[in-house]
Amino acid sequence: MTVSGRSVEVRGLHKNYGPHLAVRDVSFHLQPGEFLTLLGPSGSGKTTTLMMVAGFEAPDRGEILVAGQDVAGLPPERRNFGVVFQGYALFPHMSVLENVAFPLRMRGLPGAEQRRRAGEMLEKVGLSAFAGRQPRQLSGGQQQRVALARALVFEPDALLLDEPLGALDRKLRESLQQEIKAIQRRVGISILFVTHDQDEAMGMSDRIAVMAEGRLVQLGSPAEVYLHPRTPFVAGFLGETNFLTGSFCGVADGLAVLRFADGSLGRARLPDGVAVPEQGGKALLSVRPERLRLLPDGPVAGVVESCTFLGRHARYVVQALGQSLALSTTEWSPGAALPAGAAVRLGWAAEDAQLLDG
Amino acid sequence: MAATPHRLPLLWLLLPAGLLYGGLALYPLAGMLQMSLTEGWGHYAEVTQGRLLWRAATNTVAISLTTTAIALLLGYVLAAGLWRCGPATRALLLAFIMLPFWTAVLVKNFAWAALLQDNGVVNGLLQWAGLTTAPVTLLHNRLAVIIGMVHYVLPYAVFPIYTAMRGIDLRVERAARSLGAGTLALFWTVLLPLTMPGVLSAGLLAFIVSAGFYVTPVVLGSPSDMMVSNLVSYYVHELVDFNAAAALAMLILAAITPVIVLQQFASRGQHGGG
């Protein structure tokens, strides 16, 4: 089976709950065959956005286009999306095979055809042996695969997944993440995925749309949003980061130059679209712990507060620029660990620091 | 301290309930069983002879089944209303459902008698609307008995169904819609099957309650609507034959017990299945 996924374009979506703005002016374009994740904390509007695309919530304003056709006025049963819900939402009174055949039955296919296609789909997710079981006789991971099979069997325009792995333990999550990716590659379906888990978003997505307080704050590839966050929220939500405040000195060679409180100078990338502060104005930059380095001739002086060995890397906390900075390094050995109180010098490559929208 | 004394006090706690149940239910029941057997199976032969029991039994089954069917239909609609409406409407609906539940059966029956009599409100409305010129006989027939019984039995039908509906995960309903189920298909393929345990439990409960009716056939029905409980009363009051009445009561108990057992299983299955 090859589903040619279709594009889903959302334009200027708005939704109010009473006086509370749940979703404000959200726009994105899910390309055919693309995996796009809406990532954000709870209350950021990501699930509401997904439910509007699925048709369970009516937007106050905005358009939802599937391959150019507006579907915003259609009820959910007449939109052609495969939805996978948190907690799977399998029909408890139907067997696994009947669950997977359900959308085909709703489309009026003959019984034999329903069973044949549902059986094929179950084979694809490796559950042929469980066709006659009831959903409650399956493990969480197996139920999740049945939900996926049921959402894919009718060759939908796109898959919409609402925190589908939320209830599973970490090992199982990781294997199911791989499985969802593998199925997507095999059938070429477009996927709109909702999660609050940044690792899940980073590992699965072609692009990530970071949401906060009802707004889409940044949209880009996992590398773009991680390496080049635009706002303090994005920088802090995806992974860990150090925020440094200084006064803006100007732009040199396309890089922003900042002066810190202790008089030292630092340079940072100036991403497109970030408002350039005025000369002498307050500027905020973000440096990831793994990009902050101990350099013998670094521009910033600091004192080691603590050092923790975490296996994959070692983590230093260094007192510098009047605050505690986190620094992680893989160049660590039991003999060479710096003790607390050791004087060090820090630095970073200019392209590893980001000027943020204050 | 040994481990066993821990259990004993718990059993003692059951004593008041045990005494109450034993003294007020089991002991009189045993007395009735004894009365019914004073002449061996003679009293049983007496009450099963002739057409009187057959007539009362078929009446009971027919009236109870009709009442149950109507109560289930109305109960399903009411339960669905309770399930889907807002909290304010739900409070109002609940009050209207519970009011007859808390009202004495005699009060309800005489209220219906007043409404249904020849110069009652219902006939007045029918004539005012021009649907009829002379009063329609609405009282002292089977229709009146069924109206009175449905009114009484309705809460017993509503709540098991409502409980089953509340157990349905909104996401299951949404999943069905996203997979292509319109409103009717959603009802037939998902909502009705998932509420069936509640409907079964409600139906059995309504039937059990209906089969035991005694006052309503007397107040609202005609002598030809006599039910089995009325027959017991006939043996006690008209024939003053307590032993035959006891034998009859034992037969009724034996007939309804399997339905009660079934109902217990159904309502238990409802809690386990959600």
Side-chain angles (χ1 to χ4, degrees), chain A residues 8-302:
Chain A
V8 179
E9 189 179 359
V10 163
R11 282 191 201 153
L13 222 50
H14 268 272
K15 176 76 182 174
N16 283 328
Y17 285 121
H20 177 68
L21 258 176
V23 171
R24 329 177 190 197
D25 196 25
V26 166
S27 302
F28 56 81
H29 195 158
L30 173 70
Q31 302 293 337
E34 189 189 18
F35 195 120
L36 178 68
T37 296
L38 303 179
L39 172 69
S42 64
S44 60
K46 58 190 191 303
T47 292
T48 308
T49 303
L50 189 84
M51 289 300 147
M52 284 193 278
V53 175
F56 297 116
E57 302 277 358
D60 296 331
R61 257 203 326 277
E63 289 173 285
I64 299 158
L65 307 168
V66 177
Q69 297 284 315
D70 193 356
V71 299
L74 295 178
E77 65 269 23
R78 296 194 34 218
R79 301 184 188 191
N80 198 34
F81 293 129
V83 188
V84 176
F85 294 84
Q86 199 172 6
Y88 331 122
L90 298 178
F91 304 124
H93 59 298
M94 295 182 197
S95 71
V96 165
L97 188 74
E98 285 168 337
N99 262 279
V100 178
F102 184 84
L104 305 174
R105 182 174 153 203
M106 290 300 111
R107 282 160 177 77
L109 267 70
E113 175 79 0
Q114 288 175 29
R115 282 188 296 279
R116 188 183 63 75
R117 281 179 57 182
E120 279 175 17
M121 197 66 227
L122 278 176
E123 209 165 304
K124 279 211 175 64
V125 298
L127 287 176
S128 296
F130 298 88
R133 299 269 186 99
Q134 296 297 116
R136 65 172 172 278
Q137 297 172 295
L138 303 186
S139 71
Q142 289 167 334
Q143 291 188 33
Q144 186 55 70
R145 295 214 291 259
V146 175
L148 263 174
R150 189 179 65 174
L152 278 168
V153 72
F154 60 100
E155 305 186 358
D157 293 337
L159 264 190
L160 312 178
L161 295 98
D162 182 19
E163 306 238 9
L165 308 175
L168 304 170
D169 65 67
R170 222 192 76 203
K171 268 247 162 65
L172 193 54
R173 286 173 80 111
E174 280 167 8
S175 81
L176 275 167
Q177 284 170 18
Q178 295 313 312
E179 203 158 324
I180 292 172
K181 281 303 284 181
I183 289 171
Q184 191 215 2
R185 273 193 292 272
R186 213 154 51 222
V187 302
I189 184 100
S190 323
I191 293 185
L192 186 58
F193 191 89
V194 160
T195 185
H196 66 273
D197 182 329
Q198 46 129 345
D199 290 332
E200 205 166 277
M202 298 284 291
M204 300 178 82
S205 317
D206 295 317
R207 285 191 299 159
I208 296 176
V210 184
M211 293 192 66
E213 293 173 338
R215 288 182 199 282
L216 199 163
V217 286
Q218 191 170 348
L219 178 61
S221 71
E224 272 164 20
V225 289
Y226 184 80
L227 296 173
H228 305 151
R230 289 265 179 74
T231 69
F233 175 81
V234 177
F237 191 72
L238 276 109
E240 194 188 0
T241 198
N242 296 298
F243 293 111
L244 302 175
T245 312
S247 66
F248 189 68
C249 298
V251 181
D253 304 330
L255 297 168
V257 181
L258 274 76
R259 183 181 299 281
F260 299 112
D262 68 350
S264 59
L265 290 176
R267 293 188 301 159
R269 265 186 91 254
L270 193 60
D272 295 339
V274 167
V276 178
E278 56 189 77
Q279 192 83 22
K282 190 185 153 210
L284 185 68
L285 64 81
S286 149
V287 192
R288 301 279 182 198
E290 70 275 16
R291 301 283 168 167
L292 194 59
R293 298 194 192 137
L294 295 168
L295 298 169
D297 53 352
V300 177

